[in-house]
Amino acid sequence: MNDGKGRPGFLSVLLIIVFSLAYFLVCAEPLQPELSAVPRWRVEIPAASIAGAVEIVGDDAMAFQAGGRFGYFSPDGDCSFMSDSEGCMAIGDSAYAKSNAAGGSELVSPDGQSIAQIASDAPFFSAGRLFSADGDGTGITSYNATGDILWSYSFPCHLSALSAGSSLIVGGTIDGWIEGVSPYGKKAFTFAPGGSRLSVVLGLGVSRSGNWVAAVTGIDRQRLIVLGQGGADYRVTSHRYLESDYREPVRVIVMDDEQHVLYRRADGVGVWSVDGTVDEILPVKADDFSVAMDEAHGVSYMMARRGKHAEIVVFKNPATLLGRVALPDYTDFVRFSGSSVYVGGSTWLARFDFVEE
Amino acid sequence: MLRSRLDAVKLFGVLMTVVASLCVVSAIAFEWPADRGVYRFGFGALRAGFLRGVEFGVAESLMEASDDGEMVFATEHPALPGGYPLRGNSIMAVAHASDMTTVYTGLEQGSLATYLRSVRKGDILGRSSAADGGRGAIVYVFDRRERRYINPLIVMPELSDKKPPVIQSISLITGGVETSLAATRTVRQGSYTVLLDVVDVAPSGDASAPYDIRILIDGSERARVVYDAAWSLEGIPVLFGGAEIVEYSYVADDGRLSFGPYVFSRGTVVLAVRVGDYSGNIKEQTYSLSIQ
C-alpha cells in the first residue's frame, strides 16, 4: 500500500523548514538600534559678561557665537568666557579675534590673554585654522596659532565660495574657476568646469584629506562636479546636471567618509557619491546645513536650517532617514561632537546626546 | 643696447595696453552705477591694499546696473559658507555680454535685488550702506576673457577734471637710508629706489590715485605704469598691463609707490617724474641731482 507518494511531500516540508532556518540565521540583518536624543544640560548665558569664571582645561574649550554673544564652554556646560559679540570678528576653539584700535584685529586666547595683533580687519576661522580675507574679497592670508603670517594668496577674481580641508584650501570665483591652494600657499590646481551658459562657482566643499573637491557651478544649466586627485592634478571623477537655478551661495559638503557629497537642492539635500554611483535625495528642505558622522553609532547628523527654523536630522549613509529632532526657533548655534549635540541661542546653551535604547 | 630693447618692449606693452583700452572703450558703453560718477576713491587708491574698483561714499544712494546683463551671484550674508567674510556684508555680480562682469560690494543688507535675473541698464541693484569701517560701496569691472580687473574709468563715461595730480614727495632710498629731494639734491653714487607720494583728487575731493606715472632719468623713460588693470598670477597680485609689477613690490608699507632701483653714477643726473590723470592733466617735477 505504501507506494512512496508521501516522500516528496515530506522532503518539500523539510526543505522549507531548513531554508527558513537558514534564511533567519544567515540572511537576517540586525535591527537598527533605536536612537534617542537624551537631554544632558541646559544653561542660561549670564546677562553680564564673565571672564574666566570657570577655567576650562586644555582642549575642552568649545567656541560659541550666537545671537550677539560669544564665548567658550565645556562639555559639562561650564561657561568660561561670555561676552557681547560686538567687536568679536571671529572665534575658534583656540582663540578669538576682536577689532583693535589700529583698524586691524587682536588675537586673544580663550582665557583672555592677548596673543597677537593682526593687520587685517577680516579674520576668520576655518577647519580650526586662522585666516583673513584680503584684497576686498580676492585674497586670503593664513596664520599660525601665534598670529604670524604663513602665506598670502591672491585669486584673479572675487571669491564666491571657499572651503578648507586639512591639506587643501579651495576657492571658487565669480567668473567660474576653481583654484586649489596648498598648505604652503602655492597654487595646487586650477580648473574651469564650464558646461554652462554662464560660469560661476556657487558652492564647493573639499574633503578633509584634500583628495576630493565637489562644486555646484554654472547657470543654465547648473552642474554638480566632483574632482579627484590624480597624481599632481585634479580631474573630474563624476558630474551631473542639476535642475536648480541658484544665484546665491550653495552649501556643498564632502562627508568625512570621503565617499559621499551633500549638496543643496530645491527638493531636499542631494546625496551624490564621488564616483557617481549614488544619486539620492534626503527629504530635508534646507537653505543651509552642516553634517557630522557619529562612528560609534554608524549614523550621521545633519543640522538643517530653513529661515528661523532648524532641526537635527539623523540618517544612515547614503540617504536613509532615521529621525528628526526639531530645535527651538532662532537656534543660532549647533555643534556636533561624537554622539553629542550642542545647541544654543542668544541666551542659552544646551547639550543632548544620542544614545541607543 | 639691451636697455633700449627693454625700453622698446615696455613701450610696445604700454602702446598695446592703450590700444586695448581704446578698443574696450569703443565696444562698451557702461554708465556710472552711483552718485553720477562722483566717486571717492578710484582704481589704485590704497584702501586696505590696491583698490581694484571705484569706491563711492554717499550712504543710502541707489546703485544701478551699469549695463544690460544677467545677475549671476548675490548674497547679503556677511560671509560665504566656508566662513570667508564679505567686505561690506554683501556682494552682487552681473555678467554682461561684452565679456565683462561688474561686481558690487558694500550694498546695504536687505536692499539687494536678489530676485533679479535679467538686468537692464539702470535697474536698481541695491542701496549703498553707511560706510562700513570707513568703506563705501564699491563697483569693480572684471574682464572675463583676460581674467583681470580693469580700471572702471576706461569703460565709464568720462568725468570733467581739470586738476592735475599732486606730487607730494619724492625720495631716494638706499641701504635703508632715505633722502628727500625736498631737502637736498646731492647724494652719493649708488643704487637708489625712488619713492613717490602722489595723489589725484577724486570727483568727491578725496585723495585718490593717478592714472599714469613715468620716471625719466636724463631724458630716458626708465619706468612707466598705467593704472589700467590688476590681476593675479600663481597667487601673486600683479598690476598694470604694460608693466606687470607685483603689488607688494610696488606699494611700500607706508603707501608710497616704489620704482627702481636705478644706479646713479658720479656727475649730474636729471630725474623727472611725470604723473597724469585719466583726463590727461599732467604734473611734472624735475630735479637735477649732484651725484658724488
Side-chain angles (χ1 to χ4, degrees):
Chain A
M1 292 298 286
N2 186 356
D3 57 2
K5 285 182 180 176
R7 177 159 296 194
F10 173 74
L11 284 175
S12 299
V13 171
L14 190 63
L15 278 173
I16 290 171
I17 292 171
V18 169
F19 183 77
S20 300
L21 280 172
Y23 175 80
F24 282 111
L25 291 174
V26 177
C27 302
E29 289 186 23
L31 287 172
Q32 287 290 338
E34 287 287 327
L35 282 178
S36 298
V38 178
R40 293 300 185 198
W41 50 258
R42 176 190 163 103
V43 295
E44 297 295 323
I45 297 174
S49 296
I50 57 171
V54 177
E55 187 174 344
I56 299 173
V57 180
D59 297 333
D60 281 346
M62 287 189 282
F64 159 82
Q65 186 171 26
R69 311 281 289 171
F70 82 98
Y72 293 89
F73 64 95
S74 74
D76 297 327
D78 296 324
C79 298
S80 172
F81 180 84
M82 291 288 173
S83 178
D84 294 333
S85 65
E86 189 175 351
C88 175
M89 308 161 91
I91 188 165
D93 287 348
S94 58
Y96 69 92
K98 65 178 184 179
S99 56
N100 65 14
S105 49
E106 180 182 11
L107 194 63
V108 184
S109 68
D111 59 4
Q113 301 299 312
S114 178
I115 298 173
Q117 305 293 327
I118 295 171
S120 173
D121 63 349
F124 67 101
F125 287 90
S126 189
R129 287 177 287 159
L130 178 65
F131 300 95
S132 67
D134 300 319
D136 282 354
T138 60
I140 184 170
T141 295
S142 174
Y143 301 84
N144 65 13
T146 55
D148 302 317
I149 291 178
L150 297 175
W151 49 260
S152 293
Y153 193 91
S154 176
F155 292 89
C157 186
H158 273 85
L159 286 170
S160 52
L162 183 90
S163 182
S166 299
S167 58
L168 185 70
I169 294 116
V170 184
T173 59
I174 277 175
D175 69 331
W177 284 70
I178 298 171
E179 198 156 320
V181 184
S182 76
Y184 310 104
K186 302 297 182 188
K187 185 175 80 175
F189 72 93
T190 56
F191 181 76
S196 306
R197 183 172 58 83
L198 292 170
S199 296
V200 62
V201 179
L202 296 150
L204 59 77
V206 57
S207 66
R208 193 181 294 268
S209 68
N211 290 333
W212 303 99
V213 177
V216 171
T217 67
I219 286 171
D220 190 19
R221 303 167 62 193
Q222 254 157 30
R223 291 174 77 199
L224 171 69
I225 64 159
V226 178
L227 306 177
Q229 188 172 20
D233 209 352
Y234 283 74
R235 296 169 186 166
V236 175
T237 59
S238 62
H239 80 105
R240 63 157 292 174
Y241 280 100
L242 306 172
E243 300 302 316
S244 56
D245 183 31
Y246 291 116
R247 312 286 173 113
E248 61 188 6
V250 174
R251 178 71 74 178
V252 180
I253 293 174
V254 182
M255 295 184 69
D256 283 347
D257 64 0
E258 306 263 327
Q259 290 284 321
H260 297 101
V261 175
L262 305 183
Y263 63 99
R264 179 183 172 193
R265 294 174 55 125
D267 53 355
V269 174
V271 183
W272 179 260
S273 61
V274 294
D275 59 3
T277 56
V278 173
D279 183 10
E280 299 195 41
I281 301 172
L282 271 169
V284 178
K285 292 192 176 180
D287 299 329
D288 195 13
F289 56 88
S290 60
V291 69
M293 296 183 67
D294 178 1
E295 292 181 358
H297 293 130
V299 298
S300 297
Y301 306 121
M302 175 192 293
M303 185 284 296
R305 188 181 301 282
R306 192 172 177 84
K308 65 179 182 180
H309 305 294
E311 64 176 336
I312 303 295
V313 176
V314 185
F315 67 101
K316 187 175 181 182
N317 289 349
T320 303
L321 188 65
L322 300 178
R324 323 168 78 129
V325 178
L327 298 175
D329 287 350
Y330 300 108
T331 298
D332 293 330
F333 171 74
V334 177
R335 175 173 176 156
F336 301 103
S337 178
S339 303
S340 301
V341 184
Y342 302 90
V343 297
S346 59
T347 60
W348 58 278
L349 281 171
R351 168 185 171 177
F352 60 87
D353 295 346
F354 283 100
V355 297
E356 292 181 9
E357 289 186 340
Chain B
M1 177 69 84
L2 181 61
R3 181 180 294 169
S4 62
R5 279 189 182 174
L6 286 173
D7 288 345
V9 169
K10 284 184 178 176
L11 181 63
F12 179 74
V14 170
L15 284 173
M16 291 304 293
T17 303
V18 172
V19 169
S21 301
L22 290 174
C23 291
V24 168
V25 170
S26 62
I28 301 166
F30 281 9
E31 292 293 337
W32 285 103
D35 302 343
R36 296 178 182 175
V38 181
Y39 62 83
R40 287 188 68 197
F41 301 102
F43 188 90
L46 300 177
R47 304 286 290 162
F50 188 97
L51 181 61
R52 286 160 168 70
V54 162
E55 181 176 334
F56 298 91
V58 179
E60 307 235 332
S61 65
L62 297 177
M63 186 70 77
E64 299 174 349
S66 290
D67 197 6
D68 296 349
E70 186 159 346
M71 201 263 285
V72 293
F73 188 77
T75 181
E76 298 180 283
H77 289 282
L80 295 173
Y84 190 87
L86 293 174
R87 172 72 64 187
N89 298 326
S90 66
I91 189 169
M92 176 178 272
V94 178
H96 305 283
S98 50
D99 272 339
M100 297 285 168
T101 294
T102 46
V103 180
Y104 307 83
T105 65
L107 301 182
E108 189 170 310
Q109 286 182 301
S111 76
L112 267 71
T114 53
Y115 54 85
L116 286 174
R117 293 294 181 265
S118 178
V119 174
R120 303 297 301 272
K121 181 188 286 188
D123 280 354
I124 294 170
L125 304 177
R127 198 170 54 241
S128 60
S129 58
D132 170 35
R135 305 295 303 275
I138 304 174
V139 61
Y140 303 85
V141 179
F142 184 77
D143 182 341
R144 296 197 300 274
R145 184 171 295 176
E146 298 292 332
R147 299 205 76 204
R148 54 181 63 179
Y149 287 95
I150 63 171
N151 190 334
L153 289 176
I154 295 172
V155 296
M156 301 288 178
E158 191 162 348
L159 302 167
S160 174
D161 179 9
K162 302 214 182 298
K163 295 178 183 172
V166 178
I167 301 175
Q168 302 194 118
S169 73
I170 302 174
S171 297
L172 302 177
I173 187 166
T174 184
V177 178
E178 182 174 334
T179 304
S180 170
L181 296 191
T184 181
R185 306 290 164 85
T186 302
V187 294
R188 291 179 178 276
Q189 66 175 347
S191 178
Y192 287 89
T193 297
V194 178
L195 284 176
L196 300 183
D197 186 1
V198 296
V199 297
D200 185 42
V201 179
S204 67
D206 292 279
S208 185
Y211 183 73
D212 185 357
I213 302 176
R214 302 180 199 204
I215 303 289
L216 297 97
I217 297 175
D218 292 334
S220 171
E221 185 175 289
R222 303 294 299 274
R224 182 180 184 188
V225 294
V226 177
Y227 281 52
D228 55 356
W231 66 102
S232 79
L233 280 175
E234 304 287 322
I236 298 169
V238 181
L239 308 173
F240 316 132
E244 295 200 2
I245 295 175
V246 174
E247 180 181 333
Y248 309 136
S249 64
Y250 180 65
V251 182
D253 290 341
D254 59 5
R256 288 184 291 178
L257 309 177
S258 175
F259 294 86
Y262 306 108
V263 175
F264 293 160
S265 303
R266 274 203 182 92
T268 302
V269 168
V270 177
L271 172 66
V273 176
R274 188 178 297 170
V275 184
D277 62 20
Y278 190 73
S279 298
N281 302 304
I282 292 174
K283 175 72 176 179
E284 181 170 338
Q285 285 188 9
T286 302
Y287 300 90
S288 182
L289 306 178
S290 174
I291 312 299
Q292 297 180 338

